[in-house]
Amino acid sequence: MDTLDDHAKDISEDAAAEAGPNSSLEMNLKEQDTGAGGPIILFFILGLFASLVVGWIVFPKLLYSKKKQPIEFNHVFHVEAVDNGCESCHFFREDGTFSGAPKLAQCIDCHEEIQGISPDEIKFVEEYVSKEREVPWLIYSRQPDCVFFSHAAHIQGARMDCVACHGHMGESESLKVYEENRITGYSRDIWGKSIGGFKKNTWDRMKMDDCAECHRENAANIERKNIQTPTQRLIGHMVNLVSPGTSTFDKGGSIQTERDPCFACHK
Amino acid sequence: MKIGRRGFLSFVIGGAAGTALSPLPWKLMDDSSIWTQMWPWTPVPEDGEASYVNSVCTLCPGHCGITVRKIDNRAVKIEGMKGHPVNNGGICLLGLSGLQLLYGPMRVKTPLKRTGKRGQGQWEKISWNDAVSEVVEKLRDIRSEGHPQTVGFISGFDRGTVSRLFERFLTAYGSPNFMRMPSVRDSYELAQYLMQGVQALPGFDFENSDFVLSFGSGLIDGWGSPVRMSRVHSAWQSAGVKVIQIEPRLSNTAAKSDKWIPINPGTEGALAMGLAHVIVKESLYDADFIENNVEGFFDWKNLVIDKYSPDTVASITGIDSRTIVVLARGFANASKPLAVCGRGNGTTPVNIDECMAVHALNALVGNIHKKGGVWAVSEPDYINWPEIEMDAKAAAGMQHERLDGAGSKTYPFTRYLLPRLPETIDPGEKNPLQALFVSGANPLYTHPDTQAVRNAFDKIPLVVSFSSYMDETAQNADLILPNHIYLERYEEVPTPAGMIEPVIGLSRPVVEPQFNTRHVGDVILQMAKGLGGSVAKTFPWDSYDSCLKETLGDLWNYLIDKGFWSNTGAMPPFFGTSYETASGKFELINKDNGSIPQFKPVSIEGDEKDYPLLLIPYDSMRLACGFIGDPPFVMKTVEDSILKGKDVFVELNPKTARNQGLREGQRVVLTTPKGKAEVKVHLFEGIMPGLVALPRGLGHTGWDEYLAGKGINFNTLIGPVEDPDSGLDAAWGIRAKLEKA
């Protein structure tokens, strides 16, 4: 064993001696690497930092355009003036459908003529009421056409409060700036003000995850308890693939998809 | 500091890590998926208040009740009206697609005046006042020259206030030339007049009959009131009613019948006589009915026995004599048998002999004015207007004979003979037609030999179209005064085709007029006021709507409330009072005018040597072939074996194809004595050898890009053949040949 070890040592020593003339170059290289270790990490941090700034701060500024509503509106003032709270203007029709943003027909009861001195009211009466043009309100809560949402089921059936999804809109004295997603055309309020998708209140976001969240939390009392977004579904499948039977998603009413029927909420 | 490769790479890696930790990729992914699922250019239906308006569909003579769903001010869906006597909630493909006729690109949006040559498509927009005064000026000139009879009016319908206004206008002006578009109603009206002495609508109690013998009527291919017929057909299936279809081609109706009997085209009348022969010979007729209610039976019996034995009829029709005997027995032994004629969807007349022969079959089995039989339905009598004031010019004008020869010595009992009009239009100095108005009709598309009709129209100095759509007649007019479409106007709609109970529906504005159009009734009133004098006095109403309201009286409120009025308990007229003939009976042989049900073959155009094949048309629910063309939704349903791209297929029996050396899909030139067209071959076992079948409803030049230029218009390949007894167009086909293209 000794002889073998010694032999190996000899060989390596020989090799080092043979490489003599080049050793300084090797040293230089090593020195350079050690010296540049700082900048490389710096570059990494720079890249990380820059992209985080772009992703969290620049991107949302680029993604959304800011639009003003065609005319100003004071909810507080109007809620005080009407008898029936929100439902005075945002009412259910006889057939159970929800009227959404009021049409001229509702405003005209009071605003057939100019009532006050507010320049926005004057503009409203002159530009819209007298010309019989509907106000092109920008709707913060407008959902894509494929979404089927019944206000009646939630407000009249489940006795939910408007605030749960729409926040304290009725307490606003002016209309906030409408931030329109340049790609989809929908309001920023759907994804939520937080670009990271974080929410503090139930009304901060209006995505399908938020529907699902509320439906999960209240699963004991409601019918559609198994709403799953495609992402949740994908994760569930992957978990099932790795260790079958551990995924916790329940089976819904549909035999094909094992979920609640898609068409309950999707047109 | 120099940025090296490694520095750059670590910057990129840092960037990638940071990007992954930022919402950017995830948000973009979400947004792009929303964007791709909601393409911004995909129209999204407006959200708003839903409401329903009850009205009547007038796209065909079926006159179904409709309920239109609206969201705010936009009509979004047409449904059948529940509880309506015609369709009870059902609707056809065309009726369902009516919204495309409202919002589609084929609309004429404002009055137009031709600037280029006729048919060139060069128009200028003019105001309603200018348009109407231009027409009034021309009419005033014609009248002051003493030729008021040279003004004609072609209308799709002749019942209801709007049509009556047209007629009233012409009478007060001094012209007898009001013409209705031809259909099988012409034949039935005449047959009923000759045999029963009444001017009435033919009504068929299909709902209650138990044996239906159809001489080529496309009972579920658009005949009569299509939705009613579909409902009836379903009821027949469940009740086990026997349906026998006699026609040379396996139509949908034939395919769904109990028995399809192919027959040599044009010999249907002979078969009816053959059946009568068996019924008479074997004494299977309703002896009671014959004895009490029929005149001329014995003379006719002799004729039938002499000339129409099963063997003779077999040789004419190509149907085995045994089949004829069995069929006659089946028909006569059924408790409520009903025979009906009118080929295809019934938009073309049949010759009067054939219609009378079929009608005589019904009389033989005694089912005239009986449950499950044929009725002469009288019109609800609600239009009671003051007498027409006629000045001397009008009276003189009305003395002239009609241009189409209807009511003349040759054709004394026929009411309208529009197909005869083109030949009477003379290019000479004294053109008998100086001005022509067209409403609810598209003669330049629907008339046989369209080229000849167009040439005739070109000789008329003023052609005015009231069409709401840029159809072929509008394209070749001098002025288009667009009417509101049926979803934008008031109009009462009397009894639908083939119904036995009188119905009045109210068509009403579902939406505000979308364009600068005007109700044709109002235009007529304006024209009358413009002409002044006695013509103006004849029209004491301010507007069409007030005229309608006044005319309907109490009925107006009822119609507004309910949408339609019907006499559901309508009883057939009592025997004895229901025949207004000289004998007071159903006359098999009318001694006054010598009309006898018999078989006279119609000699169609072309000789067998040059044209070895026979071209016949066929109709389908998917191809509107009247004054309305297919809207895009309906065009989408036309099968690839009928129309592929712009090519139409002719149906050919494989045997015929083999003889002609043709194969499936081959491009051929179809030639008739009237014209030629390039078509493709479709082999079909369901058509008799020696025949070529071409669908009607294609080959438009007007309307929109979804319809124009697709296929061939059957009417360009056929000409009218005059029935010598009635003057009606009796052509059922034309000789033809096929050559490889």
Side-chain angles (χ1 to χ4, degrees):
Chain A
M1 287 294 286
D2 283 347
T3 34
L4 257 178
D5 278 353
D6 289 347
H7 181 64
K9 201 178 166 190
D10 287 348
I11 289 171
S12 65
E13 274 172 4
D14 285 352
E18 274 173 27
N22 297 326
S23 60
S24 61
L25 182 68
E26 204 172 62
M27 285 299 286
N28 283 345
L29 271 171
K30 271 184 189 165
E31 258 171 30
Q32 227 175 40
D33 270 5
T34 335
I40 284 173
I41 293 169
L42 189 73
F43 278 128
F44 179 80
I45 292 171
L46 256 177
L48 185 75
F49 183 72
S51 58
L52 287 174
V53 169
V54 168
W56 287 91
I57 299 163
V58 181
F59 169 60
K61 286 199 194 319
L62 291 175
L63 183 61
Y64 295 108
S65 68
K66 298 193 171 183
K67 287 185 172 173
K68 266 191 77 178
Q69 294 282 0
I71 44 173
E72 193 47 87
F73 186 84
N74 184 336
H75 270 97
V76 175
F77 178 81
H78 282 86
V79 171
E80 277 169 15
V82 295
D83 302 328
N84 204 13
C86 307
E87 287 214 22
S88 306
C89 301
H90 307 285
F91 56 90
F92 284 93
R93 301 193 192 97
E94 268 179 30
D95 62 357
T97 55
F98 186 66
S99 62
K103 294 263 167 76
L104 219 51
Q106 282 93 56
C107 311
I108 218 159
D109 283 344
C110 301
H111 290 280
E112 192 144 24
E113 275 161 24
I114 298 164
Q115 304 230 319
I117 49 161
S118 143
D120 277 290
E121 197 218 344
I122 295 170
K123 185 179 164 195
F124 172 60
V125 174
E126 284 177 353
E127 298 256 314
Y128 299 101
V129 178
S130 52
K131 290 183 184 167
E132 293 183 15
R133 278 171 55 204
E134 290 291 345
V135 184
W137 296 113
L138 302 163
I139 311 291
Y140 303 109
S141 55
R142 185 169 68 95
Q143 293 280 352
D145 181 51
C146 63
V147 180
F148 176 78
F149 178 81
S150 163
H151 275 87
H154 292 86
I155 306 296
Q156 296 178 324
R159 301 256 153 237
M160 281 172 71
D161 194 14
C162 309
V163 175
C165 303
H166 293 283
H168 297 279
M169 202 66 177
E171 294 161 31
S172 66
E173 296 196 341
S174 64
L175 296 174
K176 62 179 177 183
V177 172
Y178 181 88
E179 291 183 76
E180 188 183 88
N181 187 315
R182 290 186 207 268
I183 299 173
T184 65
Y186 294 100
S187 163
R188 185 172 186 165
D189 298 71
I190 305 300
W191 176 266
K193 187 76 186 166
S194 157
I195 194 73
F198 304 116
K199 66 192 257 189
K200 285 189 207 134
N201 307 302
T202 50
W203 57 83
D204 285 346
R205 284 163 49 96
M206 296 179 99
K207 294 283 288 179
M208 183 175 163
D209 289 308
D210 306 283
C211 303
E213 187 183 302
C214 192
H215 276 246
R216 258 199 308 280
E217 282 168 9
N218 297 292
N221 311 319
I222 58 176
E223 207 177 312
R224 315 225 169 276
K225 54 194 76 159
N226 194 26
I227 300 177
Q228 286 174 8
T229 58
T231 327
Q232 288 169 333
R233 182 76 183 162
L234 182 70
I235 293 167
H237 271 306
M238 281 159 72
V239 170
N240 241 1
L241 215 63
V242 175
S243 74
T246 49
S247 171
T248 53
F249 62 82
D250 298 326
K251 286 191 175 177
S254 163
I255 294 164
Q256 286 86 15
T257 63
E258 298 187 344
R259 283 184 269 181
D260 276 338
C262 306
F263 55 77
C265 307
H266 288 275
K267 281 183 199 166
Chain B
M1 190 170 62
K2 220 174 119 193
I3 302 171
R5 185 175 59 92
R6 293 186 179 196
F8 176 74
L9 278 179
S10 56
F11 181 82
V12 170
I13 292 167
T19 307
L21 290 173
S22 84
L24 188 142
W26 322 110
K27 177 77 173 121
L28 277 183
M29 221 189 294
D30 187 69
D31 283 349
S32 50
S33 69
I34 293 175
W35 181 68
T36 51
Q37 285 169 47
M38 314 283 150
W39 299 117
W41 54 85
T42 308
V44 173
E46 283 289 315
D47 193 18
E49 187 168 6
S51 58
Y52 292 86
V53 182
N54 284 338
S55 187
V56 179
C57 178
T58 49
L59 297 179
C60 85
H63 298 171
C64 291
I66 52 172
T67 301
V68 185
R69 182 179 150 88
K70 284 174 69 182
I71 294 294
D72 288 343
N73 291 321
R74 192 173 173 93
V76 295
K77 193 187 177 201
I78 301 179
E79 296 167 1
M81 193 198 295
K82 291 203 174 75
H84 194 278
V86 175
N87 56 325
N88 189 22
I91 190 149
C92 77
L93 186 57
L94 180 64
L96 196 65
S97 312
L99 292 181
Q100 293 192 317
L101 298 172
L102 173 64
Y103 297 119
M106 67 291 268
R107 294 285 306 263
V108 180
K109 296 178 177 144
T110 185
L112 294 176
K113 186 184 172 180
R114 174 174 65 85
T115 54
K117 281 186 183 160
R118 277 225 183 118
Q120 260 189 340
Q122 290 171 356
W123 304 93
E124 65 170 335
K125 295 175 183 174
I126 55 169
S127 71
W128 272 104
N129 280 348
D130 289 353
V132 173
S133 42
E134 194 158 313
V135 175
V136 167
E137 217 136 282
K138 178 82 183 166
L139 288 179
R140 196 178 287 139
D141 289 350
I142 295 172
R143 204 163 194 263
S144 60
E145 284 163 18
H147 309 299
Q149 75 283 0
T150 60
V151 173
F153 207 118
I154 298 177
S155 168
F157 304 95
D158 69 338
R159 298 179 297 139
T161 46
V162 171
S163 310
R164 292 287 296 275
L165 280 178
F166 298 155
E167 242 182 311
R168 192 174 172 85
F169 178 83
L170 280 191
T171 310
Y173 180 81
S175 167
N177 290 310
F178 175 82
M179 288 158 278
R180 179 182 74 190
M181 290 300 284
S183 74
V184 73
R185 217 185 107 197
D186 294 322
S187 314
Y188 261 107
E189 273 178 356
L190 186 57
Q192 281 181 334
Y193 182 74
L194 294 173
M195 301 174 99
Q196 295 171 237
V198 288
Q199 274 298 353
L201 295 167
F204 304 88
D205 191 6
F206 286 117
E207 284 84 350
N208 290 308
S209 55
D210 66 350
F211 190 108
V212 178
L213 183 57
S214 153
F215 289 86
S217 304
L219 297 178
I220 53 166
D221 290 298
W223 190 93
S225 188
V227 182
R228 173 201 177 208
M229 293 314 295
S230 293
R231 286 172 58 212
V232 166
H233 195 271
S234 304
W236 286 343
Q237 301 275 310
S238 45
V241 171
K242 261 219 167 328
V243 184
I244 312 289
Q245 182 72 6
I246 298 152
E247 61 176 320
R249 179 185 168 270
L250 183 74
S251 64
N252 283 345
T253 310
K256 292 207 165 237
S257 62
D258 293 278
K259 190 166 188 184
W260 166 47
I261 304 176
I263 186 169
N264 290 337
T267 63
E268 288 86 346
L271 177 65
M273 295 304 288
L275 297 176
H277 174 97
V278 178
I279 292 171
V280 168
K281 199 168 181 191
E282 299 187 4
S283 297
L284 299 171
Y285 51 85
D286 183 337
D288 264 6
F289 183 83
I290 297 286
E291 194 172 321
N292 298 322
N293 299 292
V294 176
E295 179 72 21
F297 174 70
F298 292 100
D299 292 342
W300 189 62
K301 182 181 167 182
N302 293 336
L303 170 88
V304 169
I305 298 279
D306 273 2
K307 287 177 71 180
Y308 300 101
S309 72
D311 288 335
T312 316
V313 172
S315 66
I316 302 171
T317 58
I319 301 171
D320 178 48
S321 59
R322 180 77 206 142
T323 309
I324 297 171
V325 174
V326 172
L327 183 60
R329 288 178 188 158
F331 180 74
N333 289 330
S335 66
K336 284 170 274 179
L338 196 160
V340 59
C341 70
R343 290 180 190 84
N345 64 12
T347 45
T348 46
V350 296
N351 84 46
I352 187 62
D353 292 307
E354 180 180 330
C355 191
M356 281 169 64
V358 173
H359 201 47
L361 276 184
N362 288 316
L364 278 185
V365 291
N367 70 347
I368 305 291
H369 294 156
K370 277 195 188 152
K371 202 173 178 188
V374 184
W375 298 19
V377 181
S378 52
E379 293 262 12
D381 181 24
Y382 58 91
I383 303 180
N384 298 303
W385 289 340
E387 282 276 301
I388 297 174
E389 290 199 33
M390 279 162 71
D391 58 9
K393 277 183 182 151
M398 288 301 285
Q399 292 303 314
H400 285 81
E401 276 202 352
R402 288 170 60 93
L403 279 175
D404 61 2
S408 66
K409 270 184 200 155
T410 330
Y411 310 113
F413 307 112
T414 315
R415 294 175 66 200
Y416 309 105
L417 284 172
L418 190 50
R420 297 192 71 251
L421 185 69
E423 64 191 67
T424 63
I425 296 173
D426 184 348
E429 236 174 79
K430 269 191 171 179
N431 195 325
L433 209 51
Q434 291 291 321
L436 179 68
F437 296 86
V438 184
S439 172
N442 185 11
L444 286 193
Y445 175 80
T446 57
H447 257 46
D449 201 355
T450 32
Q451 192 51 50
V453 184
R454 176 171 301 189
N455 293 343
F457 269 48
D458 280 347
K459 293 164 196 159
I460 305 170
L462 177 70
V463 177
V464 180
S465 165
F466 290 108
S467 179
S468 318
Y469 314 105
M470 195 47 101
D471 59 25
E472 287 74 8
T473 309
Q475 279 183 324
N476 287 283
D478 300 303
L479 271 171
I480 311 178
L481 309 181
N483 192 0
H484 300 325
I485 81 151
Y486 71 115
L487 297 170
E488 300 169 323
R489 66 171 192 247
Y490 276 112
E491 185 173 345
E492 100 291 10
V493 184
T495 309
M499 292 288 286
I500 52 162
E501 55 183 273
V503 181
I504 302 173
L506 182 68
S507 179
R508 69 180 114 191
V510 170
V511 291
E512 292 286 302
Q514 301 292 302
F515 304 107
N516 183 24
T517 53
R518 195 171 278 187
H519 198 300
V520 64
D522 283 322
V523 179
I524 294 291
L525 294 183
Q526 264 183 306
M527 278 162 48
K529 287 204 167 65
L531 283 168
S534 63
V535 182
K537 275 188 205 155
T538 310
F539 296 87
W541 307 282
D542 294 333
S543 65
Y544 171 74
D545 288 357
S546 67
C547 162
L548 180 64
K549 229 185 246 184
E550 202 178 294
T551 309
L552 291 172
D554 294 341
L555 204 52
W556 169 261
N557 289 331
Y558 186 87
L559 289 176
I560 285 286
D561 187 39
K562 213 174 162 212
F564 65 90
W565 169 90
S566 75
N567 184 2
T568 41
M571 296 292 291
F574 290 111
F575 298 138
T577 57
S578 56
Y579 306 113
E580 290 171 18
T581 48
S583 60
K585 288 184 175 182
F586 187 101
E587 296 194 342
L588 275 176
I589 293 182
N590 188 322
K591 281 177 186 145
D592 290 348
N593 51 54
S595 65
I596 308 167
Q598 55 191 314
F599 172 66
K600 286 186 207 152
V602 175
S603 52
I604 58 163
E605 270 184 277
D607 65 82
E608 204 171 337
K609 217 175 104 209
D610 294 340
Y611 300 99
L613 301 170
L614 278 169
L615 173 68
I616 58 166
Y618 71 91
D619 296 330
S620 151
M621 280 294 286
R622 298 178 184 185
L623 284 168
C625 60
F627 79 101
I628 293 288
D630 262 7
F633 281 160
V634 185
M635 273 308 273
K636 275 279 178 199
T637 70
V638 177
E639 301 98 318
D640 267 3
S641 59
I642 292 178
L643 181 77
K644 199 166 190 181
K646 292 187 182 261
D647 295 319
V648 65
F649 287 84
V650 288
E651 289 178 353
L652 212 58
N653 190 293
K655 255 189 219 166
T656 322
R658 215 174 306 130
N659 289 344
Q660 302 275 323
L662 301 173
R663 58 186 158 69
E664 173 73 34
Q666 191 162 3
R667 200 175 278 279
V668 288
V669 177
L670 170 64
T671 314
T672 71
K674 284 294 173 205
K676 59 164 72 177
E678 220 176 272
V679 294
K680 280 183 167 180
V681 169
H682 174 53
L683 302 186
F684 182 42
E685 299 272 4
I687 183 159
M688 286 172 73
L691 301 187
V692 188
L694 184 70
R696 297 198 299 157
L698 291 168
H700 278 276
T701 56
W703 295 85
D704 53 23
E705 57 179 307
Y706 308 102
L707 183 58
K710 292 182 180 171
I712 302 296
N713 178 5
F714 179 82
N715 294 315
T716 57
L717 298 173
I718 191 172
V721 174
E722 207 168 293
D723 173 15
D725 293 325
S726 61
L728 295 171
D729 172 22
W732 45 262
I734 190 164
R735 297 217 72 95
K737 64 178 172 186
L738 289 175
E739 290 156 323
K740 286 172 199 161

